[in-house]
């Protein structure tokens, strides 16, 4: 049976989410990944920023 990747993290009473965004470098044109751990309410703001 395949395992699912865990998207939400729980530490004590706080609920956290790990967001991964792919960003294109203006200098080389290569893509890099930016990871951040934040509360679920902040995920949409993180993903909409350029």
């Amino acid at each position: 049976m395949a395992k699912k990747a865990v998207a939400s993290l729980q530490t004590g009473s706080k609920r956290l989410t790990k967001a991964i965004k792919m960003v294109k470098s203006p200098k080389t044109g290569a893509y890099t990944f930016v990871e951040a751990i934040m509360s679920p309410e902040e995920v949409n703001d993180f993903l909409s920023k350029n």
Side-chain angles (χ1 to χ4, degrees):
M1 186 172 155
K3 292 185 179 181
K4 284 185 174 180
V6 177
S8 64
L9 308 169
Q10 291 184 347
T11 57
S13 64
K14 292 183 180 180
R15 184 166 172 249
L16 301 173
T17 302
K18 181 177 183 180
I20 303 172
K21 179 170 56 170
M22 197 164 70
V23 179
K24 187 173 184 178
S25 172
K27 187 175 181 181
T28 63
Y31 286 95
T32 59
F33 293 96
V34 178
E35 299 181 14
I37 297 176
M38 63 194 74
S39 68
E41 293 82 23
E42 300 171 357
V43 172
N44 288 334
D45 293 335
F46 173 74
L47 294 176
S48 65
K49 284 193 283 185
N50 289 339

